[in-house]
Amino acid sequence: MLFRSLKMRDEALALVGTDGPPYKITSIVADPNADVALVVEGMMTVPTYLDQPDQPAHLMLGKDGLPVQNGTADFKFTVVVPNSARENPAPALQYGHGLLGSGGEEIQYDYRVAFANKYNYVLFAVDWIGMAESDYVHIASLVDQGRLNDFITVVDRGQQGILNSLLAMRLVTGALADDPELQGKNGPMIKRDERYYHGNSQGGIFGTTYMALTTDVERGMLGVPGMPYSLLLNRSKDFDEFFVLLKNAFPDPIDLQLVLGLYQMLWDRTEPAGYAPYVRDDLLPGTPAHEVLLEVAIGDHQVSTLGAHVLARTIGGVPNLAPTNRKIWGLDERMGPLTGSAMIEYDFGLAPEPTTNIPARDGEDPHGKVRKLATAQKSLDQFLRTGTIESFCDGPCDPE
């Protein structure tokens, strides 16, 4: 598991160097709104370890069981340059998209580009291929038909997706920063030496894997995250429709849980269950120390906060930032401001979360609310820029 990811990472980063992979800009939209100077889309040509770029894809493995490069493949990237970067070069902030989503679409949401312009960040994203919008039909079909043997294609393509994210950071802070199309009044609009990560939902989940593997980013925010998927699926409203399909193939509830456990054994290759212990302490070879900020919504309908607590304990040394809304088993409480890693929980006044293996469904889902709060955005910016974590809430964070 780890050996596969490390081989792909080290080999591919050595091949592309500090400038990143070759690329071609395919579209530039200037001044689409008051916050954005440029929306840049392009294709990057990266080393691939898959037998084909699209689903169903498998990793190409050598006799030693480790991935071997199978030429190159082209994948889309999207960059959003804020208006503020015309005057002052901005650091690169990589975004990790949500469940079966699209990075290029999500980094253009109004509140996200407003944040980028206010705090001066260049946003960019690639898709988490394997579990991106383009994978929806493939995943639905294998779940519906109970094709357990084909689930490896989701995970294998996911490992290439994580590698693509690492390579995209090299590109955006490398050759793309010097591209003539991305020059401002004072030279490059993208800083080459300041790199950060933030993601929400699936982007918080796979963002943990990214933060364990990255050699370029030292601080990242994991929004409404959790682990492992075998725990999260039963407790997420997002998987209602998938459970309908899965129950067609495995109507016995015991069989269904066994299937999730079998899926998890493969998911460990891409999700936090296989990587969370290596984010801060037991660092992977050739990897710098990392710190993370977890922003969590109590009563989340989509990613259970129980999964976020498991994640924080597994990463290790992640306190619950005080003053807190509740005590969390296994997590120390520490007052801010502090340096290092921490979790901030936001309480939106919903009913207590279920203690059984079902989703929270009370009231309006708070899953997407934290990222839009002015206090949370201020916490994010301060953490990324300085490493200091502070809630900016007046007491426990209860914005409702």
Side-chain angles (χ1 to χ4, degrees), residues 276-298:
Y278 309 105
V279 171
R280 299 187 70 243
D281 296 323
D282 189 12
L283 301 175
L284 298 173
T287 310
H290 313 111
E291 300 292 354
V292 289
L293 168 63
L294 282 66
E295 292 187 340
V296 177
I298 296 175

Side-chain angles (χ1 to χ4, degrees), residues 36 58 72 79 81 104 166 181 215 220 229 244 274 387 400:
V36 177
H58 295 82
T72 61
V79 180
V81 181
L166 300 174
E181 300 286 355
T215 58
Y229 268 114
V244 171
E400 295 287 293

Side-chain angles (χ1 to χ4, degrees), residues 58-223:
H58 295 82
L59 285 175
M60 300 286 288
L61 303 177
K63 292 181 179 179
D64 57 2
L66 297 178
V68 294
Q69 186 183 351
N70 183 33
T72 61
D74 294 334
F75 294 99
K76 180 182 175 181
F77 66 89
T78 305
V79 180
V80 174
V81 181
N83 269 320
S84 57
R86 293 184 191 272
E87 300 282 349
N88 301 302
L93 178 55
Q94 184 164 11
Y95 184 72
H97 67 75
L99 178 67
L100 298 173
S102 163
E105 176 184 347
E106 292 184 23
I107 61 168
Q108 297 183 63
Y109 289 169
D110 289 347
Y111 68 88
R112 188 157 289 128
V113 298
F115 165 82
N117 192 39
K118 178 179 180 179
Y119 290 101
N120 196 35
Y121 290 99
V122 170
L123 300 174
F124 73 96
V126 294
D127 285 351
W128 297 118
I129 64 164
M131 291 190 68
E133 185 177 46
S134 59
D135 297 287
Y136 181 91
V137 173
H138 175 69
I139 293 174
S141 67
L142 68 87
V143 168
D144 181 39
Q145 298 166 23
R147 301 192 334 260
L148 294 181
N149 56 309
D150 285 341
F151 189 71
I152 187 63
T153 58
V154 175
V155 176
D156 278 4
R157 196 161 182 260
Q159 286 192 274
Q160 179 72 42
I162 291 167
L163 176 64
N164 290 352
S165 295
L166 300 174
L167 295 171
M169 177 59 81
R170 283 288 176 92
L171 167 62
V172 172
T173 58
L176 194 69
D178 293 328
D179 192 288
E181 300 286 355
L182 281 86
Q183 303 305 299
K185 294 181 179 180
N186 301 306
M189 291 189 284
I190 304 174
K191 289 185 176 181
R192 291 185 65 122
D193 58 352
E194 203 172 338
R195 309 174 181 96
Y196 306 111
Y197 173 85
H198 96 299
N200 289 295
S201 194
Q202 185 176 270
I205 295 168
F206 285 149
T208 306
T209 304
Y210 177 96
M211 289 304 300
L213 286 168
T214 178
T215 58
D216 296 324
V217 178
E218 296 183 2
R219 291 192 291 274
M221 190 280 279
L222 310 176

